[in-house]
Amino acid sequence: MTPDKHLDSLRTHWKANKSFPSMAKLADVLGLASSGGVFKVLGRLVDQGYLERVDGRIAPTNKFFALPMLGDVRAGLPQEAGQDAGQELVSVEDFLVRHPERTVFCRARGDSMTGAGIFDNDMLVVERNTPTKPGDIVAAVVDNELTVKYLFPAYDTGWVLRAANPAYQDIKAKASLEVLGVVVGVFRRFDR
């Protein structure tokens, strides 16, 4: 098994179990015959920053969850592939979450924000306790109903929530409007 395959095997095991097995069982996971080989592989992965030792056990680092970046891919005309493809590592969490202590995810439902690139079933990255400004996309509770919309000042007083789909009218709170947070990212899966 190549060094990258050892890391891949550990990532696959972690994804399924959210933990690492005992040292004896790690030999099976890594496809190794001896505990000496396991210690050698783990030592290399610690030295490379994928794992760390915590209270006598191994634990994954942020780098463990990072994946290789292929580089920029044009959505228009094709371009020549770069030589540095796969050299940079990117963690989805590090890319999307700047402030983990105040970040939550919400699932978008409906089609009112398609013009902003937010589609039904998308996951929204929402930063709570973030100052808002006109034009921000926010998750908000308006008159006891949760929604995601653009936030704009109303023509008279207060604020209005505006969809990114012309089929929907602006929403102005009748009784209460609470901004839960600013949407700072969106992600989705294309299931096959």
Side-chain angles (χ1 to χ4, degrees):
M1 195 176 282
T2 65
D4 288 341
K5 294 295 181 191
H6 291 137
L7 180 59
D8 291 343
S9 295
L10 286 174
R11 285 175 169 159
T12 300
H13 185 86
W14 184 272
K15 172 94 173 135
N17 301 285
K18 302 295 185 255
S19 67
F20 293 126
S22 66
M23 287 295 179
K25 291 185 181 171
L26 266 175
D28 291 336
V29 171
L30 296 172
L32 299 171
S34 70
S35 59
V38 170
F39 283 108
K40 188 174 180 179
V41 167
L42 294 180
R44 180 181 51 78
L45 293 173
V46 167
D47 291 344
Q48 292 175 342
Y50 291 104
L51 302 174
E52 63 184 350
R53 296 186 196 283
V54 178
D55 298 327
R57 299 181 58 103
I58 58 165
T61 63
N62 283 346
K63 187 176 179 182
F64 178 83
F65 298 104
L67 301 171
M69 171 88 148
L70 288 178
D72 297 334
V73 180
R74 284 191 187 172
L77 296 174
Q79 68 185 26
E80 188 174 323
Q83 298 297 329
D84 58 348
Q87 299 299 313
E88 179 184 0
L89 294 176
V90 176
S91 161
V92 174
E93 182 178 344
D94 288 344
F95 181 75
L96 290 173
V97 179
R98 288 183 293 212
H99 304 285
E101 72 282 3
R102 49 180 225 231
T103 299
V104 296
F105 295 137
C106 299
R107 187 179 314 278
R109 294 291 184 204
D111 64 354
S112 71
M113 294 301 288
T114 56
I118 298 173
F119 298 94
D120 188 49
N121 214 33
D122 281 356
M123 292 296 289
L124 307 178
V125 182
V126 179
E127 280 185 7
R128 299 175 296 171
N129 302 320
T130 298
T132 59
K133 61 184 186 305
D136 278 346
I137 298 174
V138 298
V141 178
V142 58
D143 299 327
N144 294 320
E145 293 186 353
L146 185 61
T147 190
V148 60
K149 299 283 186 283
Y150 283 111
L151 179 71
F152 287 104
Y155 294 112
D156 45 13
T157 60
W159 295 91
V160 65
L161 297 172
R162 185 165 297 146
N165 180 336
Y168 292 85
Q169 294 186 1
D170 289 354
I171 300 171
K172 185 154 189 212
K174 293 180 179 86
S176 64
L177 171 64
E178 177 188 1
V179 174
L180 300 177
V182 176
V183 176
V184 297
V186 61
F187 60 100
R188 70 180 63 98
R189 279 192 56 85
F190 296 110
D191 288 322
R192 300 174 20 140

